[in-house]
Amino acid sequence: MLLRALRRATTTTAAASAAASSTLTKPPHFHLSTSRLFSANTTKANLTKAKKSKSKSDGKDRAEELQVTDTEFFVKQDEELRRRQLAEDENNPALDVGPNGRPLFTSTSSISLLSKKDACSYMKFSVEELNKVLPEGLPMGMVKEFEESSRSALLIRQSFLDLRDNFRRAVDPSLLVGSKGSKVRKQIVLDGPVSCGKSIALALLVHWAREEGWLVLYVPSGQEWTHGGFFYKNPQTGLWDTPVQAANILQDFSKYNESLLKKLKCNTLDPIPLGEGAGVGWPKGIDKMQISEDSTLYDLVQAGINNSHAAVGVLVRLRKELSDVKDIPVLIAIDQYNSWFTFSEYEEPVTVRSCRPVHARELATVNAFRSMLHENDMMVGAFSHSTAVGKLRQELPDVPTDARINFPRYNLDEAASVCHYYLRFAKLNL
C-alpha cells in the first residue's frame, strides 16, 4: 500500500506537469441531435445532414486524439528529463541522504559483503548484469520497481539478509559456533502478504548463490510448468509428460550453469526411458537412451534439449543427479511454488462430455521437483498470490512442517527509506 501510494503520487505529478505544458485549446462540444427516418426513400436533404453530422463527429474525434497524443508526448518528455536528472544525481553525494541523515545508498559492491549496517539502504544494480546472472528472467516485481523509479536499485532488507545467512550457515557449519541466530533450515517456503517482496528476495538469493559459485536451478515462474504446450499420459509411469516445458527448463538451466555442468560427472548411468515427443509421437525402434560412463551433467542436459522424446526423462533424472552433487553447493529455487499444490491447466477426458482436471502433482516434472523431503538438499520456494491459486492449508504434502516462514511487509525503518527514495523523484518533477 505504501509503495502504491508513493507511485501514484509521482505519476500524478508527472501527469500534472504534462497538462500544464500543453497549450492546445480544448475543442468545443458539439450537441448533435438525431432523428429517425421513417420514409422509405432517403432524400437529398437528409443525406446532406448526415454528411455534416459525420464531418462534425470526425472532427471531434481527431481533436480528442490529438489532445491525447500531445499529453503522452509531454509525459514522455517529462520522464526523459527525470532520467537525465537522476543520472546527474549519481555524481552528487549531497543528495545521497536517507532517514536520520544516513546514506540512502549502500557503498557495498557485492551481495555477499552486505551486513546488518546495510539494511534499510538501497543497492544499485546494473540491469545488464542482472540479466546475465539471472538469464531465466527477472521477477515482475523487480522489473516494475525499476520502471516506476527510473533507477535500477533495490532496498536491502534485514529479512533478506537473514535468508541469505541461513543458507550461508547451512553450507559452512563453522559459522554456527557462537551464533545466536534462528534454527538453520535447508528447506524454506516463503509465504506472506501480496507484494511483500518474496520474489525479489528469492531472485537476490539466487544472485548471491551464483556469486558464491553455487549450482542453482532457478525457476522464476513455477506456474509455467503446469500450463501450455503438449501433454501426454505416460503408460509406464502413470504420470503426465510435458516435453515442451521440460526442454525449456533444461535450456534455462544450462544458460548460466554451463561451465559448472561440464565439470560434473553423471553419477547414475542407468538408461533413461524415452516418452512421447512434442507433436512427433513415440520413438520408433528404441525406448531408452543410454548414458556413457564419461558423460557430464552438461551432456545429459543437452541430450534432453535436443531430443524431445528424452526431455522429460532427462529432467526427472537431473533431479536425482542434483541430490548426488557433493563438490559444490546446490540450490533449487522455485518462485510461484504454490502453483504446484493445485490443479494444472490440463484436463483428462473421462466421458464424451466431461473431463477431469489434472493436478500438478500428476505431472512428471512437478512430481520430481516438488518434494522438500530430501534431507540434505537445499531448496527454497516462494508463494505468489498473483497466480490466483488461493489460500493453501498450513501443512503441505512433501514439505517439512517447519519450512514455511512468513516474509514480512516493510517495518518502520524500511518504510522511511522507501519514502525518501520515491519522494526525491517527485521533487525532481516540481
Side-chain angles (χ1 to χ4, degrees):
M1 291 296 292
L2 174 64
L3 273 180
R4 194 175 296 120
L6 289 172
R7 288 166 179 163
R8 188 179 294 118
T10 56
T11 305
T12 304
T13 304
S17 175
S21 303
S22 177
T23 56
L24 285 181
T25 57
K26 189 175 181 180
H29 290 286
F30 294 97
H31 300 280
L32 302 178
S33 60
T34 58
S35 59
R36 186 172 179 179
L37 301 178
F38 293 95
S39 172
N41 297 322
T42 304
T43 63
K44 186 174 181 180
N46 287 333
L47 285 174
T48 302
K49 290 180 181 179
K51 288 180 180 179
K52 288 183 178 179
S53 297
K54 186 176 185 303
S55 177
K56 291 180 180 179
S57 177
D58 290 344
K60 180 181 179 181
D61 292 340
R62 282 195 297 270
E64 291 178 348
E65 183 180 350
L66 182 60
Q67 188 178 24
V68 171
T69 304
D70 184 73
T71 302
E72 291 175 351
F73 169 77
F74 282 104
V75 169
K76 290 180 179 179
Q77 196 176 46
D78 183 78
E79 290 176 351
E80 182 61 31
L81 175 61
R82 184 174 64 169
R83 290 190 183 94
R84 289 199 301 269
Q85 290 173 322
L86 288 173
E88 294 172 358
D89 289 350
E90 297 289 340
N91 301 319
N92 188 352
L95 297 176
D96 184 15
V97 180
N100 301 320
R102 296 175 59 243
L104 185 59
F105 294 92
T106 178
S107 58
T108 306
S109 59
S110 170
I111 297 178
S112 298
L113 300 176
L114 290 171
S115 63
K116 188 175 181 179
K117 67 180 181 62
D118 297 303
C120 300
S121 60
Y122 276 82
M123 186 174 187
K124 298 174 184 177
F125 291 90
S126 163
V127 175
E128 182 180 354
E129 181 65 22
L130 284 173
N131 288 327
K132 182 180 178 181
V133 179
L134 303 172
E136 299 90 345
L138 305 181
M140 286 306 299
M142 184 181 292
V143 174
K144 189 175 181 180
E145 174 83 8
F146 292 165
E147 288 178 349
E148 294 185 345
S149 66
S150 299
R151 173 171 275 164
S152 54
L154 296 170
L155 180 68
I156 301 303
R157 304 181 62 190
Q158 185 60 49
S159 49
F160 162 71
L161 296 178
D162 293 340
L163 180 66
R164 180 205 62 181
D165 292 342
N166 171 82
F167 285 100
R168 177 177 276 168
R169 293 195 298 269
V171 172
D172 188 357
S174 65
L175 298 175
L176 293 173
V177 179
S179 175
K180 297 181 181 179
S182 58
K183 174 187 174 182
V184 173
R185 296 180 174 91
K186 289 189 175 182
Q187 299 85 27
I188 288 179
V189 176
L190 299 177
D191 196 0
V194 179
S195 300
C196 67
K198 300 182 292 293
S199 296
I200 292 179
L202 184 67
L204 289 178
L205 181 69
V206 172
H207 191 299
W208 164 77
R210 286 177 170 172
E211 276 185 350
E212 295 289 297
W214 294 19
L215 178 64
V216 183
L217 174 72
Y218 175 45
V219 181
S221 176
Q223 192 177 49
E224 290 185 359
W225 288 39
T226 64
H227 286 66
F230 295 89
F231 63 105
Y232 312 104
K233 192 164 188 177
N234 191 320
Q236 299 173 355
T237 63
L239 299 174
W240 293 82
D241 289 350
T242 50
V244 174
Q245 280 85 344
N248 291 336
I249 295 162
L250 292 169
Q251 195 164 20
D252 284 344
F253 180 56
S254 66
K255 286 178 181 177
Y256 185 85
N257 299 301
E258 180 177 339
S259 59
L260 292 175
L261 294 174
K262 289 181 176 179
K263 298 176 183 177
L264 299 171
K265 296 287 186 180
C266 291
N267 290 292
T268 303
L269 302 180
D270 296 338
I272 294 178
L274 300 178
E276 194 168 353
V280 295
W282 287 88
K284 297 180 180 179
I286 185 173
D287 60 353
K288 292 183 179 180
M289 182 180 72
Q290 301 297 324
I291 304 296
S292 61
E293 293 184 1
D294 59 344
S295 294
T296 63
L297 290 188
Y298 178 77
D299 298 327
L300 178 68
V301 169
Q302 288 301 307
I305 294 174
N306 298 324
N307 186 347
S308 181
H309 299 292
V312 174
V314 166
L315 186 58
V316 173
R317 174 66 59 82
L318 179 64
R319 178 65 186 90
K320 185 178 187 306
E321 291 286 355
L322 292 178
S323 295
D324 293 335
V325 173
K326 306 300 180 186
D327 299 335
I328 56 175
V330 176
L331 176 67
I332 299 175
I334 313 294
D335 204 354
Q336 300 178 357
Y337 184 60
N338 50 333
S339 63
W340 289 3
F341 294 89
T342 186
F343 292 99
S344 70
E345 185 185 47
Y346 313 123
E347 294 182 333
E348 178 183 19
V350 177
T351 65
V352 178
R353 296 184 178 181
S354 66
C355 292
R356 177 187 71 86
V358 176
H359 198 278
R361 67 172 177 269
E362 299 179 67
L363 306 180
T365 53
V366 173
N367 183 270
F369 281 85
R370 190 180 78 163
S371 176
M372 286 190 176
L373 298 181
H374 304 273
E375 183 178 352
N376 295 319
D377 292 358
M378 291 186 292
M379 184 171 176
V380 56
F383 281 5
S384 173
H385 297 286
S386 62
T387 55
V389 168
K391 190 173 182 178
L392 300 175
R393 60 185 182 183
Q394 185 64 31
E395 295 184 2
L396 297 173
D398 303 324
V399 176
T401 55
D402 63 343
R404 197 164 169 179
I405 64 174
N406 185 64
F407 201 81
R409 292 188 184 275
Y410 294 141
N411 59 33
L412 291 178
D413 293 333
E414 291 170 343
S417 295
V418 173
C419 288
H420 276 75
Y421 183 70
Y422 272 90
L423 290 179
R424 67 180 297 186
F425 301 144
K427 290 176 183 178
L428 291 174
N429 290 319
L430 297 177

